[in-house]
């Protein structure tokens, strides 16, 4: 399918692996401002017909010389005039109908994401999607990790669907869809976009869309959310845990509407995010975050037993989040343990202040530049620690703990 623009003609090139043998560097746009035919034109087109990265899906030709005159006779024949010196089978398939190809691509994208979401239990509401992609039980510390692959597939397939839809959104009728079909597809695309956003928020899979996916945000604003209210803040681009620290229970107001309307969905979203934070921080201080995990489990049990009102639950989960994120706050550590690394040693060495300080001193005096990636330098640190920690099994755990401390890097 050709796109007619003032003074030019744009063609969508569909990649054919057989056309990648030329040595000229690949390109995305080809501007034709001189007469070309047969082999010269064929080789030029092949430059935009080759992939040179994951982001490139096809190339464009801007034809100022109207070389593809076959359009005047048949919109399906792109080869007659421009490639008169070739046998038809040699150039067949080099150029394809853009709308036809776009329709196939959109259909494939819809089928892929429908298949992924098919096992989601009815009524396929916010909680059902959270249970499928995040955790059926927020008290299960392994559930988030086990479902990570499904979530990544959801994010990838939704992005592919949005791009496929954006390619046809303004030309659905020309692509052969009725008004009813176009409205139904738009609603389905919007639905999966909302599912993606809710699952990403509920799982704690934080991605700064401003930096990571500017093109995706443009697609959403242009084709999916154009009729929604104007966004006046960027709170949805911040991790939920950070919002809980900064805004307390008011952070709930930043959640997507589908989650916010359901208190159970709100609770599970917060619990998944707090659980993910505990898992991520555990290597830095295993003993401390083991206690935090137990506190979270206890709070979940209280909520499920309806021993807490909703506001009281929010108050307690915010307080727990502060404990998790800021372990050094308060007076639980002796004054000499004035850094996260010393506090981690204290927690994991039986809360023995003297041993923790002795290990800290041994590491500080022995470690050399980039020691964590050098076996010989690492062995030197291990020998120094062994003078304080005699048990080999415990020593290896403490050494791994020390490697995870930014202070000792």
């Amino acid at each position: 399918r050709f796109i007619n623009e003032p003074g030019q003609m744009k063609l969508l090139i569909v990649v054919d692996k057989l056309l990648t043998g030329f040595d000229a560097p690949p390109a995305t746009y080809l501007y034709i401002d001189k007469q070309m035919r047969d082999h010269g034109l064929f080789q030029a087109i092949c430059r935009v017909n080759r992939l040179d990265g994951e982001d490139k899906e096809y190339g464009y030709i801007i034809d100022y010389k109207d070389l593809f005159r076959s359009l005047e006779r048949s919109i399906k024949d792109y080869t007659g005039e421009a490639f008169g010196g070739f046998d038809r089978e040699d150039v067949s398939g080099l150029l394809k109908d853009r709308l036809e190809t776009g329709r196939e691509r959109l259909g494939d994208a819809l089928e892929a994401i429908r298949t992924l979401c098919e096992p989601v239990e009815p009524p396929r509401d916010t909680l059902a999607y959270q249970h499928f992609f995040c955790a059926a039980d927020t008290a299960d510390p392994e559930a988030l990790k086990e479902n990570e692959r499904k979530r990544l597939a959801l994010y990838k397939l939704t992005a592919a669907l949005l791009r496929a839809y954006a390619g046809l959104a303004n030309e659905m009728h020309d692509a052969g869809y009725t008004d009813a079909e176009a409205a139904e597809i738009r609603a389905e695309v919007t639905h999966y976009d909302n599912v993606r956003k809710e699952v990403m928020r509920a799982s704690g899979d934080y991605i700064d869309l401003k930096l990571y996916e500017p093109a995706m945000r443009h697609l959403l604003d242009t084709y999916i959310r154009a009729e929604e209210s104007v966004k006046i803040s960027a709170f949805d681009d911040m991790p939920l845990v950070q919002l809980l620290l900064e805004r307390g229970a008011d952070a709930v107001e930043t959640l997507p509407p589908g989650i916010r309307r359901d208190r159970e969905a709100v609770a599970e979203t917060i619990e998944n995010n707090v659980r993910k934070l505990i898992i991520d921080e555990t290597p830095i201080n295993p003993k401390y975050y083991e206690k935090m995990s137990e506190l979270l489990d206890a709070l979940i049990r209280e909520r499920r037993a309806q021993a807490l009102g909703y506001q009281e639950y929010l108050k307690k989960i915010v307080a727990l989040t502060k404990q998790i994120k800021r372990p050094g706050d308060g007076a639980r550590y002796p004054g000499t343990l004035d850094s996260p690394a010393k506090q981690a040693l204290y927690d994991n060495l039986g809360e023995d202040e003297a041993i923790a300080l002795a290990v800290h001193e041994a590491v500080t005096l022995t470690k050399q530049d980039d020691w964590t990636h050098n076996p010989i330098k690492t062995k030197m640190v291990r020998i120094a620690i062994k003078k304080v920690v005699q048990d080999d099994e415990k020593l290896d755990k403490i050494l791994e703990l020390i490697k995870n401390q930014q202070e000792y890097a």
Side-chain angles (χ1 to χ4, degrees):
R1 180 80 174 186
F2 292 67
I3 303 175
N4 291 314
E5 298 181 1
Q8 65 183 34
M9 189 175 291
K10 183 182 292 185
L11 307 179
L12 179 63
I13 307 303
V14 179
V15 174
D16 185 337
K17 292 182 180 178
L18 297 177
L19 305 175
T20 59
F22 297 103
D23 293 331
T28 300
Y29 287 86
L30 172 66
Y31 296 86
I32 299 178
D33 61 355
K34 64 180 180 181
Q35 292 296 327
M36 302 174 70
R37 282 182 60 83
D38 298 334
H39 291 85
L41 180 59
F42 187 88
Q43 184 167 353
I45 285 178
C46 286
R47 290 187 60 190
V48 295
N49 204 36
R50 281 183 287 159
L51 298 178
D52 57 356
E54 294 183 0
D55 295 336
K56 182 178 176 182
E57 297 175 351
Y58 38 73
Y60 291 96
I61 297 174
I62 314 301
D63 181 10
Y64 291 104
K65 291 296 184 179
D66 196 18
L67 300 183
F68 299 91
R69 296 169 185 259
S70 60
L71 283 178
E72 297 172 3
R73 297 192 301 272
S74 171
I75 198 168
K76 296 295 183 184
D77 179 10
Y78 306 128
T79 60
E81 293 290 338
F83 297 120
F86 285 87
D87 290 336
R88 180 170 295 275
E89 58 268 22
D90 291 336
V91 292
S92 178
L94 174 60
L95 306 179
K96 293 185 179 180
D97 188 311
R98 180 179 64 83
L99 293 181
E100 180 182 317
T101 301
R103 181 173 177 133
E104 291 176 3
R105 184 177 169 218
L106 178 57
D108 290 344
L110 280 167
E111 185 61 31
I113 199 165
R114 288 168 184 161
T115 300
L116 175 67
C117 295
E118 187 175 2
V120 177
E121 302 227 352
R124 295 188 178 177
D125 56 5
T126 294
L127 266 177
Y129 281 107
Q130 284 187 210
H131 290 166
F132 182 72
F133 286 106
C134 303
D137 181 0
T138 54
D140 180 0
E142 303 298 325
L144 273 175
K145 187 65 178 177
E146 290 171 356
N147 289 320
E148 183 177 31
R149 185 168 295 182
K150 288 192 292 189
R151 292 198 302 277
L152 292 176
L154 173 67
Y155 305 153
K156 181 178 179 180
L157 292 178
T158 307
L161 174 60
L162 287 168
R163 291 189 175 95
Y165 177 70
L168 292 178
N170 294 328
E171 301 169 281
M172 295 292 280
H173 188 268
D174 292 339
Y177 295 104
T178 65
D179 290 342
E181 289 172 333
E184 184 178 339
I185 290 175
R186 186 182 190 277
E188 193 169 5
V189 172
T190 302
H191 167 71
Y192 286 118
D193 171 46
N194 288 334
V195 169
R196 172 183 183 262
K197 182 169 63 173
E198 290 175 1
V199 168
M200 186 177 291
R201 204 63 165 159
S203 64
D205 291 338
Y206 168 67
I207 296 177
D208 188 344
L209 296 178
K210 294 194 301 298
L211 302 177
Y212 184 72
E213 281 186 318
M216 181 61 66
R217 292 178 69 88
H218 173 73
L219 294 180
L220 294 173
D221 293 340
T222 302
Y223 299 109
I224 305 300
R225 302 174 185 161
E227 297 177 359
E228 295 183 4
S229 56
V230 177
K231 180 177 177 180
I232 60 174
S233 71
F235 286 129
D236 63 340
D237 288 331
M238 294 176 65
L240 178 57
V241 169
Q242 187 64 33
L243 287 170
L244 287 170
L245 292 175
E246 294 184 5
R247 305 185 65 189
D250 290 342
V252 170
E253 297 304 315
T254 68
L255 294 173
I259 296 177
R260 198 167 61 238
R261 286 191 293 263
D262 188 331
R263 289 187 173 184
E264 183 74 14
V266 170
E268 292 196 10
T269 294
I270 294 174
E271 288 158 9
N272 280 327
N273 276 262
V274 173
R275 180 75 67 188
K276 187 174 189 299
L277 175 62
I278 291 173
I279 293 171
D280 291 345
E281 299 292 334
T282 291
I284 299 174
N285 192 336
K287 286 293 183 182
Y288 180 78
Y289 288 105
E290 182 181 328
K291 293 178 183 177
M292 295 299 103
S293 183
E294 292 171 358
L295 290 175
L296 176 60
D297 291 340
L299 190 52
I300 291 172
R301 287 194 297 270
E302 280 190 89
R303 175 180 66 80
R304 289 178 176 173
Q306 298 183 342
L308 291 173
Y310 182 65
Q311 294 301 324
E312 181 65 18
Y313 164 78
L314 290 178
K315 182 179 179 181
K316 285 197 171 187
I317 199 75
V318 169
L320 177 60
T321 303
K322 291 179 179 178
Q323 279 186 266
I324 294 170
K325 195 66 177 176
R326 301 166 183 165
D329 285 1
R332 61 180 302 270
Y333 292 107
T336 56
L337 306 177
D338 53 3
S339 72
K342 293 177 184 178
Q343 292 164 3
L345 288 172
Y346 175 78
D347 287 331
N348 291 272
L349 286 168
E351 298 189 356
D352 190 312
E353 179 183 1
I355 294 180
L357 290 173
V359 171
H360 170 77
E361 184 176 7
V363 174
T364 303
L365 295 176
T366 309
K367 71 181 182 72
Q368 298 180 18
D369 184 54
D370 200 32
W371 69 274
T372 58
H373 300 100
N374 185 303
I376 295 176
K377 294 178 181 179
T378 300
K379 189 173 182 179
M380 292 171 59
V381 174
R382 189 180 190 280
I383 292 171
I385 299 172
K386 190 173 176 63
K387 294 176 182 178
V388 183
V389 180
Q390 305 295 325
D391 182 89
D392 283 340
E393 183 178 351
K394 190 173 185 179
L395 171 60
D396 288 335
K397 290 181 179 178
I398 292 300
L399 180 61
E400 192 61 32
L401 172 70
I402 289 168
K403 286 181 179 180
N404 293 323
Q405 305 304 314
Q406 183 66 35
E407 183 175 337
Y408 302 135

